[in-house]
Coordinates of all heavy atoms in Angstrom, one line a residue:
M165 N 67.3 -0.4 46.4 CA 67.5 0.8 47.4 C 66.1 1.2 47.8 O 65.1 1.2 47.1 CB 68.1 1.9 46.6 CG 68.4 3.1 47.5 SD 69.3 4.4 46.5 CE 70.2 5.1 47.8
A166 N 66.0 1.3 49.1 CA 64.8 1.7 49.8 C 64.3 3.2 49.5 O 65.2 4.1 49.4 CB 64.8 1.5 51.3
Q167 N 63.1 3.3 49.3 CA 62.5 4.7 49.2 C 62.1 5.2 50.5 O 61.6 4.5 51.4 CB 61.3 4.6 48.3 CG 60.5 5.9 48.1 CD 59.3 5.6 47.2 OE1 59.1 4.5 46.6 NE2 58.4 6.5 47.1
V168 N 62.5 6.4 50.9 CA 62.0 7.0 52.2 C 61.3 8.3 51.9 O 61.9 9.2 51.1 CB 63.3 7.3 53.1 CG1 62.8 8.0 54.4 CG2 64.1 6.0 53.4
E169 N 60.1 8.4 52.4 CA 59.4 9.7 52.2 C 58.8 10.2 53.5 O 58.5 9.4 54.4 CB 58.1 9.4 51.2 CG 58.5 8.9 49.9 CD 59.3 9.9 49.0 OE1 59.3 11.1 49.4 OE2 59.7 9.5 48.0
I170 N 58.9 11.5 53.7 CA 58.3 12.1 54.9 C 57.2 13.1 54.5 O 57.4 13.9 53.6 CB 59.5 12.9 55.6 CG1 60.7 11.9 55.9 CG2 59.1 13.6 56.8 CD1 61.9 12.6 56.5
F171 N 56.2 12.9 55.2 CA 55.0 13.6 54.9 C 54.5 14.5 56.1 O 54.7 14.1 57.3 CB 53.8 12.7 54.7 CG 53.9 11.8 53.6 CD1 54.5 10.6 53.7 CD2 53.4 12.1 52.3 CE1 54.6 9.7 52.8 CE2 53.5 11.2 51.2 CZ 54.2 10.0 51.4
K172 N 54.1 15.8 55.8 CA 53.5 16.6 56.9 C 52.0 16.3 57.0 O 51.3 16.2 55.8 CB 53.7 18.0 56.4 CG 53.1 19.1 57.4 CD 53.3 20.4 57.0 CE 52.7 21.4 58.0 NZ 53.1 22.8 57.6
T173 N 51.5 16.1 58.1 CA 50.1 15.7 58.3 C 49.4 16.7 59.3 O 50.1 17.5 60.0 CB 49.9 14.3 58.8 OG1 50.2 14.3 60.2 CG2 50.7 13.3 58.0
N174 N 48.1 16.6 59.4 CA 47.4 17.3 60.4 C 46.9 16.4 61.5 O 46.0 16.7 62.2 CB 46.3 18.1 59.9 CG 45.2 17.3 59.3 OD1 45.4 16.0 59.0 ND2 44.0 17.9 59.1
M175 N 47.5 15.2 61.6 CA 47.2 14.2 62.6 C 47.5 14.7 64.0 O 48.6 15.2 64.3 CB 48.1 12.9 62.3 CG 47.7 11.8 63.2 SD 46.2 11.0 62.8 CE 46.5 10.4 61.1
D176 N 46.5 14.7 64.8 CA 46.7 15.3 66.2 C 46.2 14.3 67.3 O 46.2 14.8 68.5 CB 46.0 16.6 66.3 CG 44.4 16.4 66.1 OD1 44.0 15.4 65.8 OD2 43.8 17.5 66.2
D177 N 45.9 13.2 67.0 CA 45.3 12.2 68.0 C 46.0 10.8 67.8 O 46.1 10.3 66.8 CB 43.8 12.2 67.7 CG 43.1 11.2 68.6 OD1 43.1 10.0 68.1 OD2 42.6 11.5 69.6
E178 N 46.5 10.4 68.9 CA 47.2 9.0 69.0 C 46.3 7.9 68.4 O 46.7 7.0 67.7 CB 47.8 8.8 70.4 CG 48.8 7.7 70.3 CD 49.6 7.6 71.6 OE1 49.9 8.7 72.1 OE2 49.7 6.6 72.1
H179 N 45.0 8.0 68.9 CA 44.1 6.9 68.4 C 44.0 6.9 66.9 O 44.0 5.9 66.2 CB 42.7 7.0 69.1 CG 41.7 6.1 68.7 ND1 41.8 4.7 69.1 CD2 40.6 6.2 67.9 CE1 40.8 4.1 68.5 NE2 40.0 5.0 67.8
A180 N 43.8 8.1 66.3 CA 43.6 8.3 64.9 C 44.9 7.9 64.2 O 44.8 7.3 63.1 CB 43.2 9.7 64.5
A181 N 46.0 8.2 64.8 CA 47.2 7.7 64.2 C 47.4 6.2 64.2 O 47.9 5.7 63.1 CB 48.4 8.4 65.0
L182 N 47.0 5.6 65.2 CA 47.0 4.1 65.2 C 46.1 3.5 64.1 O 46.4 2.5 63.5 CB 46.6 3.5 66.5 CG 47.7 3.7 67.6 CD1 47.1 3.4 69.0 CD2 48.9 3.0 67.4
K183 N 45.0 4.1 63.9 CA 44.0 3.6 62.9 C 44.6 3.9 61.5 O 44.6 3.0 60.7 CB 42.7 4.4 63.0 CG 41.6 4.0 62.0 CD 40.4 4.9 62.2 CE 39.3 4.4 61.2 NZ 38.0 5.2 61.4
A184 N 45.2 5.1 61.3 CA 45.9 5.3 60.0 C 47.1 4.4 59.8 O 47.3 3.9 58.7 CB 46.3 6.8 60.0
L185 N 47.8 4.2 60.8 CA 49.0 3.2 60.8 C 48.6 1.8 60.3 O 49.2 1.2 59.4 CB 49.8 3.1 62.1 CG 51.0 2.4 62.2 CD1 52.0 2.9 61.2 CD2 51.5 2.3 63.6
Q186 N 47.5 1.3 60.9 CA 47.0 0.0 60.4 C 46.6 0.0 59.0 O 46.9 -1.0 58.2 CB 45.8 -0.4 61.4 CG 45.3 -1.8 61.0 CD 46.4 -2.9 61.4 OE1 47.0 -2.9 62.4 NE2 46.6 -3.7 60.3
M187 N 45.9 1.1 58.6 CA 45.4 1.0 57.1 C 46.6 1.2 56.2 O 46.6 0.4 55.2 CB 44.5 2.2 57.0 CG 44.0 2.4 55.5 SD 42.9 3.8 55.2 CE 41.4 3.1 55.7
L188 N 47.5 2.0 56.6 CA 48.7 2.1 55.7 C 49.5 0.9 55.7 O 50.1 0.5 54.6 CB 49.5 3.3 56.2 CG 48.9 4.7 56.0 CD1 49.8 5.7 56.6 CD2 48.8 5.0 54.5
Q189 N 49.7 0.1 56.8 CA 50.5 -1.1 56.8 C 49.7 -2.2 56.1 O 50.4 -2.9 55.3 CB 50.6 -1.6 58.3 CG 51.6 -0.8 59.0 CD 51.7 -1.2 60.5 OE1 50.7 -1.6 61.1 NE2 52.9 -1.0 61.1
D190 N 48.5 -2.2 56.0 CA 47.8 -3.1 55.2 C 47.9 -2.7 53.7 O 47.9 -3.7 52.8 CB 46.2 -3.1 55.5 CG 45.8 -3.7 56.9 OD1 46.8 -4.4 57.4 OD2 44.8 -3.5 57.3
A191 N 48.0 -1.5 53.3 CA 48.1 -1.1 52.0 C 49.5 -1.2 51.5 O 49.8 -1.3 50.3 CB 47.6 0.4 51.8
L192 N 50.6 -1.0 52.4 CA 51.9 -1.0 51.9 C 52.7 -2.1 52.8 O 53.6 -1.8 53.6 CB 52.5 0.4 52.3 CG 51.8 1.5 51.6 CD1 52.4 2.8 52.1 CD2 52.1 1.4 50.1
P193 N 52.4 -3.4 52.5 CA 53.1 -4.4 53.3 C 54.6 -4.4 53.1 O 55.1 -4.1 52.0 CB 52.5 -5.7 52.7 CG 51.9 -5.4 51.4 CD 51.5 -3.9 51.5
G194 N 55.3 -4.6 54.1 CA 56.8 -4.6 54.0 C 57.4 -3.2 54.2 O 58.6 -3.1 54.3
C195 N 56.6 -2.2 54.4 CA 57.1 -0.9 54.6 C 57.2 -0.6 56.1 O 56.3 -1.1 56.9 CB 56.3 0.2 54.0 SG 56.3 0.3 52.1
E196 N 58.2 0.2 56.5 CA 58.3 0.7 57.9 C 57.5 2.0 57.9 O 57.9 2.9 57.1 CB 59.8 0.9 58.2 CG 60.6 -0.4 58.3 CD 62.1 -0.1 58.5 OE1 62.4 0.9 59.3 OE2 62.9 -0.8 58.0
I197 N 56.6 2.1 58.7 CA 55.7 3.3 58.8 C 55.7 3.8 60.3 O 55.3 3.0 61.2 CB 54.3 3.0 58.3 CG1 54.4 2.3 56.8 CG2 53.4 4.2 58.3 CD1 53.1 1.7 56.4
N198 N 55.7 5.1 60.4 CA 55.6 5.6 61.8 C 55.1 7.2 61.7 O 55.4 7.8 60.7 CB 56.7 5.4 62.7 CG 57.9 6.2 62.3 OD1 58.0 7.4 62.2 ND2 59.0 5.5 61.8
F199 N 54.5 7.5 62.8 CA 54.1 8.9 63.0 C 54.9 9.5 64.1 O 55.3 8.8 65.1 CB 52.6 9.0 63.4 CG 51.5 8.9 62.3 CD1 51.1 7.6 62.0 CD2 51.2 9.9 61.5 CE1 50.2 7.4 61.0 CE2 50.3 9.7 60.4 CZ 49.8 8.5 60.2
D200 N 55.3 10.8 64.0 CA 55.9 11.5 65.1 C 55.0 12.7 65.3 O 55.1 13.8 64.7 CB 57.3 12.0 64.7 CG 58.0 12.7 65.8 OD1 57.4 13.0 66.8 OD2 59.2 13.0 65.6
L201 N 54.1 12.6 66.3 CA 53.1 13.5 66.5 C 53.7 14.7 67.4 O 53.0 15.8 67.6 CB 51.8 12.9 67.3 CG 51.1 11.9 66.5 CD1 49.9 11.4 67.2 CD2 50.7 12.4 65.1
D202 N 54.9 14.4 68.0 CA 55.5 15.5 68.8 C 56.2 16.4 67.9 O 56.5 17.6 68.3 CB 56.5 14.9 69.7 CG 55.8 14.0 70.8 OD1 54.7 14.4 71.2 OD2 56.4 13.0 71.2
D203 N 56.5 16.1 66.6 CA 57.1 17.0 65.7 C 56.2 18.2 65.3 O 54.9 17.9 65.2 CB 57.6 16.2 64.5 CG 58.4 17.1 63.5 OD1 57.8 17.8 62.7 OD2 59.6 17.0 63.5
C204 N 56.6 19.3 65.0 CA 55.7 20.5 64.7 C 54.9 20.2 63.5 O 53.8 20.7 63.2 CB 56.4 21.7 64.5 SG 57.6 21.7 63.3
D205 N 55.4 19.3 62.5 CA 54.8 18.9 61.3 C 54.0 17.7 61.4 O 53.3 17.2 60.4 CB 55.8 18.8 60.1 CG 56.3 20.1 59.7 OD1 55.6 21.1 59.7 OD2 57.5 20.2 59.3
R206 N 53.9 17.1 62.6 CA 53.2 15.9 62.9 C 53.5 14.8 61.7 O 52.6 14.4 60.9 CB 51.7 16.1 62.9 CG 51.5 17.0 64.2 CD 50.0 17.2 64.3 NE 49.7 18.1 65.4 CZ 48.9 19.2 65.3 NH1 48.2 19.4 64.2 NH2 48.9 19.9 66.3
V207 N 54.8 14.5 61.5 CA 55.2 13.8 60.4 C 54.8 12.3 60.3 O 54.7 11.7 61.3 CB 56.8 13.9 60.2 CG1 57.2 15.3 60.0 CG2 57.6 13.4 61.3
L208 N 54.7 11.9 59.2 CA 54.5 10.5 58.8 C 55.7 10.0 58.0 O 56.0 10.7 56.9 CB 53.2 10.3 58.0 CG 53.0 9.0 57.2 CD1 53.0 7.8 58.2 CD2 51.8 9.1 56.3
R209 N 56.4 9.1 58.5 CA 57.6 8.5 57.7 C 57.4 7.2 57.2 O 56.8 6.4 57.9 CB 58.8 8.5 58.6 CG 59.4 9.8 59.1 CD 60.6 9.7 59.9 NE 61.1 11.0 60.5 CZ 60.7 11.4 61.6 NH1 59.9 10.8 62.4 NH2 61.1 12.7 61.9
I210 N 57.6 7.0 55.9 CA 57.5 5.7 55.3 C 58.8 5.3 54.6 O 59.4 6.1 53.8 CB 56.3 5.6 54.3 CG1 55.0 6.1 55.1 CG2 56.2 4.2 53.7 CD1 53.8 6.1 54.1
K211 N 59.3 4.0 54.9 CA 60.4 3.5 54.3 C 60.1 2.2 53.7 O 59.5 1.3 54.4 CB 61.6 3.4 55.2 CG 62.8 2.8 54.6 CD 63.9 2.7 55.7 CE 65.2 2.1 55.2 NZ 66.2 2.0 56.2
G212 N 60.3 2.0 52.4 CA 60.1 0.7 51.8 C 60.6 0.6 50.3 O 61.2 1.6 49.9
E213 N 60.3 -0.4 49.7 CA 60.6 -0.6 48.3 C 59.5 0.0 47.4 O 58.4 -0.6 47.3 CB 60.8 -2.0 48.0 CG 62.0 -2.6 48.7 CD 63.4 -2.0 48.4 OE1 63.5 -1.6 47.3 OE2 64.2 -1.9 49.4
A214 N 59.8 1.1 46.7 CA 58.9 1.6 45.6 C 57.5 1.6 45.9 O 56.7 0.9 45.3 CB 59.3 0.9 44.3
F215 N 57.1 2.4 46.9 CA 55.7 2.5 47.2 C 55.0 3.8 46.5 O 55.7 4.6 46.1 CB 55.4 2.5 48.7 CG 56.1 3.6 49.4 CD1 55.5 4.8 49.6 CD2 57.4 3.4 49.9 CE1 56.2 5.9 50.2 CE2 58.0 4.4 50.6 CZ 57.4 5.7 50.8
D216 N 53.7 3.7 46.4 CA 52.9 4.8 45.7 C 52.6 5.9 46.7 O 51.8 5.7 47.5 CB 51.7 4.2 45.1 CG 50.8 5.1 44.3 OD1 51.1 6.4 44.2 OD2 49.9 4.6 43.6
I217 N 53.2 7.1 46.5 CA 52.9 8.3 47.3 C 51.5 8.7 47.2 O 50.8 9.1 48.2 CB 53.9 9.4 46.8 CG1 55.3 9.1 47.2 CG2 53.5 10.7 47.5 CD1 56.4 10.0 46.6
G218 N 50.9 8.6 46.1 CA 49.5 9.0 45.7 C 48.6 8.1 46.6 O 47.6 8.5 47.1
L219 N 48.9 6.9 46.7 CA 48.1 5.9 47.6 C 48.1 6.3 49.0 O 47.1 6.3 49.6 CB 48.6 4.5 47.3 CG 47.9 3.4 48.2 CD1 46.4 3.3 47.8 CD2 48.6 2.1 48.1
V220 N 49.3 6.7 49.5 CA 49.4 7.2 50.9 C 48.5 8.4 51.1 O 47.7 8.5 52.0 CB 50.9 7.5 51.2 CG1 51.0 8.2 52.6 CG2 51.8 6.3 51.1
Q221 N 48.6 9.4 50.2 CA 47.8 10.6 50.3 C 46.3 10.2 50.2 O 45.6 10.9 51.0 CB 48.3 11.7 49.3 CG 49.7 12.1 49.6 CD 50.3 13.0 48.5 OE1 50.1 12.6 47.3 NE2 50.9 14.1 48.9
E222 N 46.0 9.3 49.4 CA 44.5 9.0 49.2 C 44.1 8.3 50.4 O 42.9 8.7 50.9 CB 44.5 8.0 48.0 CG 43.1 7.5 47.7 CD 43.1 6.5 46.5 OE1 43.6 6.8 45.5 OE2 42.6 5.3 46.8
K223 N 44.8 7.4 51.0 CA 44.3 6.7 52.2 C 44.2 7.7 53.4 O 43.2 7.6 54.2 CB 45.3 5.6 52.7 CG 45.4 4.5 51.7 CD 44.2 3.6 51.7 CE 44.4 2.4 50.8 NZ 43.2 1.6 50.8
M224 N 45.1 8.6 53.6 CA 45.0 9.6 54.6 C 43.8 10.6 54.5 O 43.2 11.0 55.3 CB 46.4 10.4 54.6 CG 47.5 9.7 55.2 SD 47.3 9.2 56.9 CE 47.6 10.8 57.7
K225 N 43.6 11.0 53.1 CA 42.4 11.8 52.8 C 41.1 11.1 53.1 O 40.2 11.7 53.7 CB 42.5 12.2 51.4 CG 41.4 13.2 51.0 CD 41.5 13.6 49.5 CE 40.3 14.6 49.2 NZ 40.4 15.0 47.7
W226 N 41.1 9.8 52.8 CA 39.9 9.0 53.2 C 39.6 9.0 54.6 O 38.4 9.0 55.0 CB 40.1 7.5 52.6 CG 38.9 6.8 52.7 CD1 37.9 6.7 51.8 CD2 38.5 5.8 53.7 NE1 36.9 5.8 52.2 CE2 37.3 5.3 53.5 CE3 39.2 5.5 54.9 CZ2 36.7 4.3 54.3 CZ3 38.5 4.5 55.7 CH2 37.3 4.0 55.4
L227 N 40.6 9.0 55.4 CA 40.5 9.0 56.9 C 40.2 10.5 57.4 O 40.0 10.7 58.5 CB 41.8 8.6 57.6 CG 42.0 7.0 57.4 CD1 43.3 6.6 58.0 CD2 40.9 6.3 58.2
G228 N 40.2 11.5 56.5 CA 39.9 12.8 56.8 C 41.1 13.7 57.3 O 40.9 14.6 58.0
H229 N 42.3 13.3 56.9 CA 43.5 13.9 57.2 C 44.3 14.5 56.1 O 44.3 13.8 55.0 CB 44.5 13.1 58.1 CG 43.7 12.5 59.4 ND1 43.7 13.4 60.5 CD2 43.2 11.5 59.8 CE1 43.1 12.7 61.5 NE2 42.8 11.6 61.1
Q230 N 44.9 15.6 56.3 CA 45.8 16.1 55.2 C 47.2 15.5 55.3 O 47.6 15.1 56.4 CB 46.0 17.7 55.5 CG 44.7 18.4 55.4 CD 44.9 19.9 55.8 OE1 45.9 20.3 56.2 NE2 43.8 20.7 55.6
C231 N 47.7 15.4 54.1 CA 49.1 14.7 54.1 C 49.8 15.2 52.8 O 49.3 14.9 51.7 CB 48.8 13.2 53.9 SG 50.2 12.1 53.8
G232 N 50.9 15.8 52.9 CA 51.7 16.4 51.9 C 53.1 16.1 52.0 O 53.6 16.0 53.2
L233 N 53.9 15.8 51.0 CA 55.3 15.6 51.1 C 56.1 16.8 51.6 O 55.8 17.9 51.2 CB 55.9 15.2 49.7 CG 55.7 13.8 49.2 CD1 56.2 13.7 47.8 CD2 56.4 12.8 50.2
L234 N 57.0 16.5 52.5 CA 58.0 17.6 52.9 C 59.1 17.6 52.0 O 59.5 16.6 51.5 CB 58.4 17.3 54.3 CG 57.4 17.7 55.5 CD1 58.1 17.2 56.8 CD2 57.2 19.1 55.5
P235 N 59.5 18.8 51.6 CA 60.7 18.9 50.7 C 61.9 18.4 51.3 O 62.2 18.3 52.4 CB 60.8 20.4 50.3 CG 60.0 21.1 51.3 CD 59.0 20.1 52.1

C-alpha cells in the first residue's frame, strides 16, 4: 500500500521548487513528488512506498525552506 504525505511549505518560487523536486526525486526514487505553489499552503505531495518523512524535512531545511506535515 502506498504512503501519501502532504506537507505545508514556504516554497514561493518555481525555480526553487524545481531544484527541491530534483533533490527529493534523487533521495526518494520511485516516489511521485509534486508541489502546488498555487495552494495557500504551498503544498508538497509525496506518494510512494514507505519513505522517510524526516528525510524529506531534512532535505527541505537544507535548501532553506520550511516543511511540515499537514494534518
Side-chain angles (χ1 to χ4, degrees):
M165 181 178 215
Q167 175 182 353
V168 177
E169 300 295 347
I170 301 174
F171 300 86
K172 177 178 180 173
T173 74
N174 67 341
M175 185 70 64
D176 59 358
D177 175 273
E178 199 168 315
H179 178 72
L182 289 173
K183 183 176 178 180
L185 182 63
Q186 184 62 54
M187 178 181 277
L188 291 169
Q189 287 175 331
D190 289 346
L192 303 169
C195 288
E196 295 176 33
I197 305 169
N198 65 65
F199 283 95
D200 183 353
L201 301 183
D202 293 329
D203 186 279
C204 65
D205 290 323
R206 299 180 183 133
V207 298
L208 163 63
R209 289 184 186 90
I210 304 178
K211 179 180 178 182
E213 296 298 324
F215 57 88
D216 184 352
I217 292 169
L219 177 65
V220 172
Q221 293 173 316
E222 179 183 307
K223 295 288 186 185
M224 290 292 288
K225 183 178 179 181
W226 187 85
L227 289 171
H229 296 285
Q230 297 172 353
C231 178
L233 279 174
L234 281 174

